[in-house]
Coordinates of all heavy atoms in Angstrom, one line a residue:
M24 N 0.8 -1.2 0.0 CA 0.0 0.0 0.0 C 0.9 1.2 0.0 O 1.9 1.3 0.8 CB -0.9 0.0 1.3 CG -1.8 1.1 1.3 SD -2.9 1.1 2.8 CE -4.0 -0.2 2.6
S25 N 0.6 2.2 -0.8 CA 1.4 3.4 -0.9 C 1.2 4.2 0.4 O 0.2 4.1 1.1 CB 1.0 4.2 -2.1 OG -0.2 4.8 -2.0
M26 N 2.1 5.1 0.6 CA 2.0 6.0 1.8 C 0.8 6.9 1.8 O 0.2 7.1 2.8 CB 3.3 6.8 1.9 CG 4.5 6.1 2.4 SD 4.2 5.4 4.1 CE 4.4 6.8 5.1
K27 N 0.4 7.4 0.6 CA -0.8 8.2 0.5 C -2.0 7.4 0.9 O -2.9 7.9 1.7 CB -0.9 8.8 -0.9 CG -2.1 9.8 -1.0 CD -2.1 10.3 -2.4 CE -3.3 11.3 -2.5 NZ -3.4 11.8 -3.8
N28 N -2.1 6.2 0.3 CA -3.3 5.4 0.7 C -3.3 5.0 2.1 O -4.4 4.9 2.8 CB -3.3 4.2 -0.2 CG -3.7 4.5 -1.6 OD1 -4.2 5.5 -1.9 ND2 -3.3 3.5 -2.5
K29 N -2.1 4.8 2.7 CA -2.0 4.4 4.1 C -2.5 5.5 5.0 O -3.2 5.3 6.0 CB -0.6 4.0 4.4 CG -0.4 3.3 5.7 CD 1.1 2.9 5.8 CE 1.3 1.8 6.7 NZ 2.6 1.4 6.8
W30 N -2.0 6.7 4.7 CA -2.5 7.9 5.4 C -4.0 8.1 5.4 O -4.6 8.4 6.4 CB -1.7 9.2 4.9 CG -0.4 9.4 5.6 CD1 0.8 9.1 5.1 CD2 -0.2 9.9 6.9 NE1 1.8 9.5 6.0 CE2 1.2 10.0 7.1 CE3 -1.0 10.4 7.9 CZ2 1.8 10.4 8.3 CZ3 -0.4 10.8 9.1 CH2 0.9 10.8 9.3
L31 N -4.5 8.0 4.2 CA -6.0 8.2 4.0 C -6.7 7.1 4.8 O -7.8 7.4 5.4 CB -6.3 8.1 2.5 CG -5.9 9.3 1.7 CD1 -6.2 9.1 0.2 CD2 -6.5 10.6 2.1
F32 N -6.3 5.9 4.7 CA -6.9 4.8 5.5 C -6.9 5.0 7.0 O -7.9 4.9 7.7 CB -6.2 3.4 5.1 CG -6.8 2.3 5.9 CD1 -8.1 1.8 5.5 CD2 -6.2 1.7 6.9 CE1 -8.6 0.7 6.2 CE2 -6.7 0.7 7.6 CZ -7.9 0.2 7.3
N33 N -5.7 5.5 7.5 CA -5.6 5.7 8.9 C -6.5 6.9 9.3 O -7.1 6.8 10.4 CB -4.1 6.1 9.2 CG -3.2 4.8 9.2 OD1 -3.7 3.7 9.3 ND2 -1.9 5.1 9.1
I34 N -6.5 7.9 8.6 CA -7.4 9.1 8.9 C -8.8 8.7 8.9 O -9.6 9.0 9.8 CB -7.1 10.3 8.0 CG1 -5.7 10.8 8.2 CG2 -8.2 11.4 8.1 CD1 -5.2 11.9 7.2
A35 N -9.3 7.9 7.9 CA -10.6 7.5 7.8 C -11.0 6.6 8.9 O -12.1 6.7 9.5 CB -10.9 6.8 6.5
M36 N -10.1 5.7 9.3 CA -10.3 4.8 10.4 C -10.5 5.5 11.7 O -11.4 5.2 12.5 CB -9.1 3.8 10.5 CG -9.2 2.8 11.7 SD -7.9 1.6 11.7 CE -6.4 2.6 11.8
V37 N -9.7 6.5 12.0 CA -9.8 7.3 13.2 C -11.1 8.1 13.2 O -11.8 8.2 14.2 CB -8.6 8.2 13.4 CG1 -8.8 9.2 14.5 CG2 -7.3 7.3 13.6
L38 N -11.4 8.8 12.1 CA -12.6 9.7 12.0 C -13.9 8.9 12.2 O -14.8 9.3 12.9 CB -12.6 10.5 10.7 CG -11.5 11.6 10.6 CD1 -11.6 12.2 9.3 CD2 -11.7 12.6 11.7
L39 N -14.0 7.7 11.5 CA -15.2 6.9 11.7 C -15.3 6.4 13.1 O -16.5 6.4 13.6 CB -15.1 5.8 10.7 CG -15.3 6.1 9.2 CD1 -15.1 4.9 8.3 CD2 -16.7 6.7 9.0
S40 N -14.3 6.1 13.7 CA -14.3 5.6 15.1 C -14.8 6.7 16.0 O -15.6 6.5 16.9 CB -13.0 5.0 15.5 OG -12.6 3.9 14.7
W41 N -14.2 7.9 15.9 CA -14.6 9.0 16.7 C -16.0 9.4 16.5 O -16.7 9.9 17.4 CB -13.6 10.2 16.5 CG -12.4 10.0 17.4 CD1 -11.3 9.3 17.0 CD2 -12.2 10.4 18.7 NE1 -10.4 9.3 18.0 CE2 -10.9 10.0 19.1 CE3 -13.0 11.0 19.6 CZ2 -10.4 10.2 20.4 CZ3 -12.5 11.3 20.9 CH2 -11.2 10.9 21.2
I42 N -16.5 9.3 15.3 CA -17.9 9.6 15.0 C -18.9 8.7 15.8 O -19.9 9.1 16.4 CB -18.3 9.5 13.5 CG1 -17.6 10.7 12.8 CG2 -19.8 9.5 13.3 CD1 -17.7 10.6 11.3
T43 N -18.5 7.4 15.9 CA -19.3 6.5 16.7 C -19.3 6.8 18.2 O -20.2 6.6 19.0 CB -18.9 5.0 16.5 OG1 -17.6 4.8 17.0 CG2 -19.1 4.6 15.1
V44 N -18.1 7.3 18.7 CA -18.0 7.7 20.1 C -18.9 8.9 20.4 O -19.4 9.0 21.5 CB -16.5 8.0 20.5 CG1 -16.4 8.6 21.8 CG2 -15.7 6.7 20.4
S45 N -19.1 9.7 19.4 CA -20.0 10.9 19.7 C -21.4 10.5 20.0 O -22.1 11.4 20.5 CB -19.9 11.8 18.5 OG -20.5 11.2 17.3
F46 N -21.8 9.3 19.7 CA -23.2 8.9 20.0 C -23.4 8.4 21.4 O -24.5 8.1 21.9 CB -23.7 7.8 19.0 CG -23.8 8.3 17.6 CD1 -23.0 7.7 16.6 CD2 -24.7 9.2 17.3 CE1 -23.1 8.2 15.3 CE2 -24.9 9.7 16.0 CZ -24.1 9.1 15.0
L47 N -22.3 8.3 22.2 CA -22.4 7.8 23.5 C -22.7 8.9 24.5 O -22.6 10.1 24.2 CB -21.0 7.2 23.9 CG -20.6 6.0 23.1 CD1 -19.2 5.6 23.6 CD2 -21.5 4.8 23.3
E48 N -23.2 8.5 25.7 CA -23.5 9.5 26.7 C -22.2 10.1 27.3 O -21.2 9.4 27.4 CB -24.2 8.8 27.8 CG -25.6 8.2 27.5 CD -26.2 7.5 28.6 OE1 -25.6 7.5 29.7 OE2 -27.3 6.9 28.4
K49 N -22.3 11.4 27.6 CA -21.1 12.0 28.2 C -20.7 11.4 29.5 O -19.5 11.3 29.9 CB -21.3 13.5 28.4 CG -21.4 14.3 27.1 CD -21.5 15.8 27.4 CE -21.6 16.5 26.1 NZ -21.6 17.9 26.2
R50 N -21.7 10.9 30.3 CA -21.4 10.3 31.6 C -20.6 9.0 31.4 O -19.6 8.8 32.2 CB -22.7 10.0 32.3 CG -22.5 9.7 33.8 CD -23.8 9.5 34.5 NE -24.0 8.0 34.5 CZ -25.2 7.4 34.6 NH1 -26.3 8.1 34.5 NH2 -25.2 6.1 34.7
S51 N -20.9 8.2 30.4 CA -20.2 7.0 30.2 C -18.7 7.3 29.7 O -17.8 6.6 30.1 CB -20.9 6.0 29.3 OG -20.9 6.5 28.0
I52 N -18.6 8.3 28.9 CA -17.3 8.6 28.4 C -16.4 9.1 29.5 O -15.3 8.7 29.7 CB -17.4 9.7 27.3 CG1 -18.0 9.1 26.0 CG2 -16.0 10.2 26.9 CD1 -18.3 10.1 24.9
K53 N -17.0 10.0 30.4 CA -16.3 10.5 31.5 C -15.9 9.4 32.5 O -14.8 9.4 33.1 CB -17.1 11.5 32.2 CG -16.3 12.5 33.1 CD -17.3 13.4 33.9 CE -17.8 14.5 32.9 NZ -18.6 15.5 33.7
R54 N -16.7 8.4 32.6 CA -16.5 7.3 33.5 C -15.4 6.3 33.0 O -14.6 5.9 33.8 CB -17.8 6.5 33.7 CG -17.7 5.4 34.7 CD -19.0 4.8 35.0 NE -18.9 3.6 35.9 CZ -19.8 2.8 36.1 NH1 -21.0 2.9 35.5 NH2 -19.6 1.8 36.9
F55 N -15.4 6.0 31.8 CA -14.5 5.0 31.2 C -13.3 5.5 30.5 O -12.4 4.7 30.1 CB -15.3 4.0 30.3 CG -16.3 3.2 31.1 CD1 -17.7 3.4 30.8 CD2 -16.0 2.3 32.0 CE1 -18.6 2.7 31.5 CE2 -16.9 1.6 32.7 CZ -18.3 1.8 32.4
F56 N -13.2 6.8 30.3 CA -12.0 7.3 29.6 C -10.7 7.1 30.4 O -9.7 6.8 29.7 CB -12.2 8.8 29.2 CG -11.3 9.3 28.2 CD1 -11.4 8.9 26.9 CD2 -10.3 10.2 28.6 CE1 -10.5 9.4 26.0 CE2 -9.4 10.7 27.7 CZ -9.5 10.3 26.3
P57 N -10.7 7.3 31.7 CA -9.4 7.0 32.4 C -8.9 5.6 32.2 O -7.7 5.4 32.1 CB -9.8 7.3 33.8 CG -10.9 8.3 33.8 CD -11.7 7.9 32.6
A58 N -9.9 4.6 32.2 CA -9.4 3.2 32.0 C -8.9 3.1 30.6 O -7.9 2.3 30.4 CB -10.6 2.3 32.2
F59 N -9.5 3.7 29.6 CA -8.9 3.7 28.2 C -7.5 4.3 28.2 O -6.6 3.7 27.6 CB -9.8 4.4 27.2 CG -9.1 4.6 25.9 CD1 -8.9 3.6 25.1 CD2 -8.6 5.9 25.6 CE1 -8.2 3.8 23.9 CE2 -7.9 6.1 24.4 CZ -7.7 5.0 23.6
I60 N -7.3 5.4 28.9 CA -6.0 6.0 28.9 C -4.9 5.0 29.5 O -3.8 4.9 29.0 CB -6.0 7.3 29.7 CG1 -6.8 8.4 29.0 CG2 -4.6 7.9 29.9 CD1 -6.3 8.8 27.6
F61 N -5.3 4.3 30.6 CA -4.4 3.3 31.2 C -4.1 2.2 30.2 O -2.9 1.9 30.0 CB -5.1 2.8 32.4 CG -4.2 1.7 33.1 CD1 -3.1 2.0 33.7 CD2 -4.7 0.4 33.0 CE1 -2.3 1.0 34.3 CE2 -3.9 -0.6 33.6 CZ -2.7 -0.3 34.2
V62 N -5.1 1.7 29.5 CA -4.8 0.6 28.5 C -4.0 1.1 27.4 O -3.1 0.4 26.9 CB -6.2 0.0 28.1 CG1 -6.0 -0.9 26.9 CG2 -6.9 -0.7 29.2
F63 N -4.3 2.4 26.9 CA -3.5 3.0 25.8 C -2.1 3.1 26.2 O -1.2 2.8 25.4 CB -4.1 4.4 25.5 CG -3.3 5.1 24.5 CD1 -3.5 4.8 23.2 CD2 -2.5 6.2 24.9 CE1 -2.8 5.6 22.2 CE2 -1.8 6.9 24.0 CZ -1.9 6.6 22.6
L64 N -1.8 3.5 27.4 CA -0.4 3.7 27.8 C 0.3 2.3 27.9 O 1.5 2.2 27.5 CB -0.3 4.4 29.2 CG -0.7 5.9 29.1 CD1 -0.7 6.5 30.5 CD2 0.2 6.7 28.2
I65 N -0.4 1.3 28.4 CA 0.2 0.0 28.5 C 0.5 -0.5 27.1 O 1.6 -1.1 26.8 CB -0.8 -1.0 29.2 CG1 -0.9 -0.6 30.7 CG2 -0.3 -2.5 29.1 CD1 0.3 -0.7 31.5
N66 N -0.4 -0.3 26.1 CA -0.1 -0.7 24.7 C 1.0 0.1 24.1 O 1.8 -0.5 23.3 CB -1.4 -0.5 23.9 CG -2.3 -1.7 24.1 OD1 -1.9 -2.8 24.3 ND2 -3.6 -1.4 23.9
C67 N 1.1 1.4 24.4 CA 2.3 2.1 23.9 C 3.6 1.6 24.4 O 4.6 1.7 23.7 CB 2.1 3.6 24.3 SG 0.8 4.5 23.4
I68 N 3.6 1.1 25.6 CA 4.8 0.5 26.2 C 5.0 -0.9 25.6 O 6.2 -1.3 25.3 CB 4.7 0.4 27.7 CG1 4.7 1.8 28.3 CG2 5.8 -0.4 28.3 CD1 4.4 1.9 29.8
D69 N 4.0 -1.6 25.4 CA 4.0 -3.0 24.9 C 4.5 -3.1 23.4 O 5.2 -4.1 23.1 CB 2.7 -3.7 25.0 CG 2.7 -5.1 24.6 OD1 3.6 -5.8 25.0 OD2 1.8 -5.5 23.8
V70 N 4.1 -2.2 22.6 CA 4.5 -2.2 21.2 C 6.0 -2.2 20.9 O 6.5 -3.1 20.2 CB 3.8 -1.1 20.4 CG1 4.3 -1.0 19.0 CG2 2.3 -1.4 20.3
P71 N 6.8 -1.3 21.5 CA 8.2 -1.4 21.2 C 8.9 -2.6 21.8 O 9.8 -3.2 21.2 CB 8.8 -0.1 21.9 CG 7.6 0.8 22.2 CD 6.4 -0.1 22.2
I72 N 8.4 -3.0 23.0 CA 9.0 -4.2 23.6 C 8.7 -5.4 22.7 O 9.6 -6.3 22.5 CB 8.4 -4.4 25.0 CG1 8.9 -3.3 25.9 CG2 8.8 -5.8 25.6 CD1 8.3 -3.3 27.3
G73 N 7.5 -5.5 22.2 CA 7.1 -6.7 21.4 C 7.9 -6.7 20.1 O 8.2 -7.8 19.6
K74 N 8.1 -5.6 19.5 CA 8.9 -5.5 18.2 C 10.3 -5.9 18.5 O 10.9 -6.7 17.7 CB 8.8 -4.1 17.6 CG 7.5 -3.8 16.9 CD 7.6 -2.4 16.3 CE 6.3 -2.1 15.6 NZ 6.4 -0.8 15.0
K75 N 10.9 -5.4 19.6 CA 12.3 -5.7 19.9 C 12.5 -7.2 20.2 O 13.5 -7.8 19.8 CB 12.7 -4.9 21.1 CG 14.1 -5.0 21.5 CD 14.4 -4.1 22.7 CE 15.8 -4.3 23.2 NZ 16.1 -3.5 24.4
R76 N 11.5 -7.8 20.9 CA 11.6 -9.2 21.3 C 11.0 -10.2 20.3 O 11.0 -11.4 20.5 CB 11.0 -9.5 22.6 CG 11.7 -8.8 23.8 CD 11.1 -9.1 25.1 NE 11.9 -8.4 26.1 CZ 11.7 -8.7 27.4 NH1 10.9 -9.6 27.8 NH2 12.4 -8.0 28.3
R77 N 10.5 -9.6 19.2 CA 9.9 -10.4 18.1 C 8.8 -11.2 18.5 O 8.7 -12.4 18.2 CB 11.0 -11.2 17.4 CG 12.0 -10.3 16.7 CD 13.0 -11.1 16.0 NE 14.1 -10.2 15.5 CZ 15.1 -10.5 14.8 NH1 15.2 -11.8 14.4 NH2 15.9 -9.7 14.3
W78 N 7.9 -10.6 19.3 CA 6.7 -11.4 19.7 C 5.7 -11.5 18.5 O 4.9 -12.4 18.6 CB 5.9 -10.6 20.8 CG 6.7 -10.7 22.1 CD1 7.7 -11.5 22.5 CD2 6.4 -9.8 23.3 NE1 8.1 -11.2 23.8 CE2 7.4 -10.2 24.3 CE3 5.6 -8.8 23.5 CZ2 7.4 -9.6 25.5 CZ3 5.6 -8.2 24.8 CH2 6.5 -8.6 25.7
W79 N 5.8 -10.7 17.5 CA 5.0 -10.8 16.3 C 5.9 -10.4 15.2 O 6.9 -9.7 15.3 CB 3.7 -10.0 16.4 CG 3.9 -8.6 16.8 CD1 4.3 -7.5 16.0 CD2 3.8 -8.0 18.1 NE1 4.4 -6.4 16.7 CE2 4.1 -6.6 18.0 CE3 3.5 -8.5 19.3 CZ2 4.1 -5.8 19.1 CZ3 3.4 -7.6 20.4 CH2 3.7 -6.3 20.3
Y80 N 5.4 -10.7 14.0 CA 6.2 -10.4 12.8 C 5.3 -9.7 11.8 O 4.2 -10.1 11.5 CB 6.7 -11.7 12.1 CG 7.6 -11.5 10.9 CD1 8.9 -11.1 11.1 CD2 7.0 -11.6 9.7 CE1 9.7 -10.8 10.0 CE2 7.8 -11.4 8.5 CZ 9.1 -11.0 8.7 OH 9.9 -10.8 7.6
F81 N 5.9 -8.6 11.2 CA 5.2 -7.8 10.2 C 5.8 -8.1 8.9 O 7.0 -8.0 8.7 CB 5.3 -6.3 10.5 CG 4.5 -5.9 11.7 CD1 5.1 -5.7 12.9 CD2 3.1 -5.7 11.7 CE1 4.4 -5.3 14.0 CE2 2.4 -5.3 12.8 CZ 3.1 -5.1 14.0
Y82 N 5.0 -8.4 7.9 CA 5.6 -8.7 6.6 C 6.0 -7.4 5.8 O 6.9 -7.5 5.0 CB 4.6 -9.5 5.7 CG 4.3 -10.8 6.3 CD1 3.2 -11.1 7.0 CD2 5.3 -11.8 6.1 CE1 2.9 -12.4 7.5 CE2 5.1 -13.1 6.6 CZ 3.9 -13.4 7.3 OH 3.7 -14.6 7.9
N83 N 5.4 -6.3 6.1 CA 5.7 -5.1 5.3 C 6.7 -4.2 6.1 O 7.0 -3.1 5.7 CB 4.5 -4.3 5.0 CG 3.7 -3.8 6.3 OD1 4.1 -4.3 7.4 ND2 2.7 -3.0 6.1
K84 N 7.3 -4.7 7.1 CA 8.4 -4.1 7.9 C 8.0 -2.6 8.3 O 8.7 -1.7 7.9 CB 9.7 -4.0 7.1 CG 10.2 -5.4 6.6 CD 10.9 -6.1 7.7 CE 11.5 -7.4 7.2 NZ 11.9 -8.3 8.1
P85 N 7.0 -2.5 9.1 CA 6.7 -1.1 9.6 C 7.8 -0.7 10.6 O 8.2 -1.4 11.4 CB 5.3 -1.3 10.3 CG 5.3 -2.7 10.8 CD 6.1 -3.5 9.7
H86 N 8.1 0.6 10.5 CA 9.2 1.1 11.3 C 8.7 2.2 12.2 O 9.4 2.6 13.1 CB 10.4 1.6 10.5 CG 11.0 0.6 9.7 ND1 11.7 -0.5 10.2 CD2 11.0 0.3 8.3 CE1 12.2 -1.3 9.3 NE2 11.7 -0.8 8.1
S87 N 7.5 2.7 12.0 CA 7.0 3.9 12.7 C 5.8 3.6 13.5 O 4.8 3.0 13.0 CB 6.7 5.1 11.8 OG 6.2 6.1 12.5
F88 N 5.8 3.9 14.8 CA 4.7 3.6 15.7 C 3.5 4.6 15.3 O 2.3 4.1 15.3 CB 5.1 3.9 17.1 CG 3.9 3.9 18.1 CD1 3.4 2.6 18.5 CD2 3.4 5.0 18.7 CE1 2.4 2.6 19.4 CE2 2.4 5.0 19.6 CZ 1.9 3.7 19.9
F89 N 3.8 5.8 14.9 CA 2.7 6.8 14.6 C 2.1 6.5 13.2 O 0.9 6.9 13.0 CB 3.3 8.2 14.6 CG 3.6 8.6 16.0 CD1 4.9 8.7 16.5 CD2 2.6 8.9 16.9 CE1 5.2 9.1 17.8 CE2 2.8 9.3 18.2 CZ 4.2 9.4 18.6
H90 N 2.7 5.8 12.3 CA 2.1 5.5 11.1 C 1.4 4.2 11.1 O 0.5 3.9 10.3 CB 3.2 5.4 10.0 CG 3.8 6.7 9.6 ND1 5.1 6.8 9.3 CD2 3.3 7.9 9.7 CE1 5.4 8.0 9.0 NE2 4.4 8.8 9.3
N91 N 1.7 3.3 12.1 CA 1.1 2.0 12.0 C 0.2 1.7 13.2 O -1.0 1.4 13.0 CB 2.2 0.9 12.0 CG 3.0 1.1 10.7 OD1 2.5 1.1 9.7 ND2 4.3 1.2 10.9
E92 N 0.7 1.7 14.4 CA -0.1 1.3 15.6 C -1.0 2.4 16.2 O -2.1 2.2 16.7 CB 0.7 0.7 16.7 CG 1.3 -0.7 16.3 CD 2.7 -0.6 15.6 OE1 3.2 0.5 15.5 OE2 3.2 -1.6 15.2
F93 N -0.4 3.6 16.2 CA -1.1 4.7 16.9 C -2.5 5.0 16.3 O -3.4 5.2 17.1 CB -0.2 6.0 16.8 CG -0.7 7.1 17.6 CD1 -0.7 7.1 19.0 CD2 -1.3 8.2 17.0 CE1 -1.1 8.1 19.7 CE2 -1.8 9.3 17.7 CZ -1.7 9.2 19.1
P94 N -2.7 5.0 15.0 CA -4.1 5.3 14.5 C -5.1 4.2 15.0 O -6.2 4.5 15.3 CB -4.0 5.3 13.0 CG -2.6 5.6 12.8 CD -1.8 5.0 13.9
F95 N -4.6 3.0 15.1 CA -5.5 1.9 15.6 C -5.8 2.1 17.0 O -7.0 1.9 17.5 CB -4.8 0.5 15.4 CG -5.6 -0.6 15.9 CD1 -6.8 -1.0 15.3 CD2 -5.3 -1.2 17.1 CE1 -7.6 -2.1 15.8 CE2 -6.0 -2.2 17.6 CZ -7.2 -2.7 17.0
L96 N -4.8 2.5 17.8 CA -5.1 2.7 19.3 C -6.0 3.8 19.6 O -6.9 3.7 20.5 CB -3.7 2.9 20.0 CG -2.8 1.8 20.0 CD1 -1.5 2.2 20.7 CD2 -3.4 0.6 20.8
I97 N -5.9 4.9 18.9 CA -6.8 6.1 19.1 C -8.1 6.0 18.3 O -9.0 6.8 18.6 CB -6.1 7.4 18.9 CG1 -5.8 7.6 17.4 CG2 -5.0 7.6 19.8 CD1 -5.4 9.0 17.1
G98 N -8.2 5.1 17.4 CA -9.4 5.0 16.6 C -10.3 3.8 17.0 O -11.1 4.0 18.0
P99 N -10.2 2.7 16.4 CA -11.1 1.6 16.7 C -11.0 1.0 18.1 O -12.0 0.6 18.7 CB -10.7 0.5 15.7 CG -10.0 1.2 14.6 CD -9.4 2.4 15.2
M100 N -9.8 1.1 18.7 CA -9.7 0.6 20.0 C -10.4 1.5 21.0 O -11.1 1.0 21.9 CB -8.2 0.5 20.4 CG -8.0 -0.1 21.8 SD -6.2 -0.3 22.1 CE -6.3 -0.1 23.9
L101 N -10.3 2.8 20.9 CA -11.1 3.7 21.7 C -12.6 3.5 21.6 O -13.3 3.4 22.6 CB -10.7 5.1 21.4 CG -11.5 6.2 22.1 CD1 -11.3 6.1 23.6 CD2 -11.3 7.5 21.6
A102 N -13.0 3.5 20.4 CA -14.5 3.3 20.1 C -15.0 2.0 20.6 O -16.0 1.9 21.3 CB -14.8 3.4 18.6
G103 N -14.2 0.9 20.4 CA -14.6 -0.4 20.9 C -14.6 -0.5 22.4 O -15.5 -1.1 23.0
F104 N -13.6 0.1 23.0 CA -13.5 0.1 24.4 C -14.7 0.8 25.1 O -15.3 0.3 26.0 CB -12.2 0.8 24.9 CG -11.9 0.6 26.3 CD1 -11.2 -0.6 26.7 CD2 -12.2 1.5 27.2 CE1 -10.9 -0.8 28.0 CE2 -11.8 1.3 28.6 CZ -11.2 0.2 29.0
M105 N -15.1 2.0 24.5 CA -16.2 2.7 25.1 C -17.5 2.0 24.8 O -18.4 2.0 25.6 CB -16.3 4.2 24.5 CG -15.1 5.0 24.9 SD -15.1 5.4 26.6 CE -13.6 6.3 26.7
D106 N -17.7 1.5 23.6 CA -18.9 0.8 23.3 C -19.1 -0.5 24.1 O -20.2 -0.8 24.6 CB -19.0 0.4 21.8 CG -19.1 1.6 20.9 OD1 -19.6 2.7 21.4 OD2 -18.8 1.5 19.7
I107 N -18.1 -1.2 24.3 CA -18.2 -2.5 25.1 C -18.5 -2.1 26.6 O -19.4 -2.7 27.2 CB -16.8 -3.3 25.1 CG1 -16.7 -3.9 23.7 CG2 -16.8 -4.3 26.2 CD1 -15.3 -4.5 23.5
K108 N -17.9 -1.1 27.1 CA -18.2 -0.7 28.5 C -19.7 -0.2 28.6 O -20.3 -0.4 29.6 CB -17.3 0.4 28.9 CG -15.8 0.0 29.0 CD -15.7 -1.1 30.1 CE -14.3 -1.5 30.2 NZ -14.0 -2.6 31.1
M109 N -20.1 0.5 27.5 CA -21.5 1.0 27.5 C -22.5 -0.2 27.5 O -23.5 -0.2 28.3 CB -21.8 1.8 26.3 CG -23.1 2.5 26.2 SD -23.3 3.7 27.5 CE -24.9 4.3 27.1
D110 N -22.2 -1.3 26.7 CA -23.1 -2.4 26.7 C -23.1 -3.2 28.0 O -24.1 -3.7 28.4 CB -22.6 -3.4 25.5 CG -22.9 -2.8 24.2 OD1 -23.7 -1.8 24.1 OD2 -22.2 -3.2 23.2
I111 N -21.9 -3.3 28.6 CA -21.9 -4.0 29.9 C -22.7 -3.3 31.0 O -23.4 -3.9 31.8 CB -20.4 -4.2 30.3 CG1 -19.7 -5.2 29.4 CG2 -20.3 -4.7 31.8 CD1 -18.2 -5.3 29.6
R112 N -22.6 -2.0 31.0 CA -23.3 -1.2 32.0 C -24.8 -1.3 31.8 O -25.6 -1.2 32.8 CB -22.9 0.3 31.9 CG -23.2 1.1 33.1 CD -22.8 2.5 33.0 NE -24.0 3.3 32.9 CZ -24.2 4.2 32.1 NH1 -23.3 4.6 31.2 NH2 -25.3 4.9 32.1
E113 N -25.3 -1.5 30.6 CA -26.7 -1.6 30.4 C -27.4 -2.8 30.9 O -28.5 -2.9 31.2 CB -27.0 -1.5 28.9 CG -26.8 -0.1 28.3 CD -26.9 0.0 26.8 OE1 -27.2 -1.0 26.2 OE2 -26.8 1.1 26.3
F114 N -26.6 -3.9 31.1 CA -27.1 -5.1 31.6 C -27.3 -5.0 33.1 O -27.3 -5.2 34.0 CB -26.2 -6.3 31.2 CG -26.3 -6.7 29.8 CD1 -25.2 -6.5 29.0 CD2 -27.5 -7.2 29.2 CE1 -25.3 -6.8 27.6 CE2 -27.5 -7.5 27.9 CZ -26.4 -7.3 27.1

């Protein structure tokens, strides 16, 4: 995938995810956002360690955290984390 297509895909992924978060209640976002920040920081620490110790292998040899993992962490992971917590609270 070319860099231009990769940037467009990453931006679209983050924007679509944040649009779904906008449908949630402010109270639930305020309640679960600190937990997301904690998980986000753990993942930010885990990614460089995992690459260094070769816990996983990338075929396209990504070298940048901000071009590869960061958009996923602030996009679908955030939206999924907030949506899952919202569903659990409703039961």
Side-chain angles (χ1 to χ4, degrees):
M24 182 182 288
S25 70
M26 283 300 281
K27 183 178 179 181
N28 289 343
K29 193 175 204 180
W30 272 102
L31 290 174
F32 179 74
N33 286 343
I34 291 170
M36 179 174 58
V37 171
L38 289 178
L39 288 173
S40 299
W41 277 89
I42 288 171
T43 62
V44 170
S45 68
F46 293 116
L47 298 174
E48 297 174 4
K49 288 184 181 183
R50 192 176 102 208
S51 67
I52 292 173
K53 200 183 285 188
R54 182 177 178 190
F55 296 114
F56 195 71
F59 166 74
I60 294 297
F61 176 72
V62 171
F63 175 77
L64 292 174
I65 295 295
N66 279 331
C67 288
I68 293 168
D69 183 47
V70 167
I72 293 171
K74 284 182 182 179
K75 183 178 176 184
R76 294 186 180 189
R77 296 182 184 181
W78 289 344
W79 53 82
Y80 182 77
F81 293 100
Y82 293 104
N83 61 352
K84 304 280 186 193
H86 298 290
S87 174
F88 174 73
F89 290 104
H90 292 146
N91 298 308
E92 289 91 3
F93 188 72
F95 176 74
L96 292 176
I97 64 167
M100 186 176 148
L101 171 68
F104 193 83
M105 294 294 178
D106 290 340
I107 289 171
K108 295 296 182 185
M109 183 68 176
D110 291 341
I111 290 172
R112 198 178 111 226
E113 289 175 355
F114 289 112

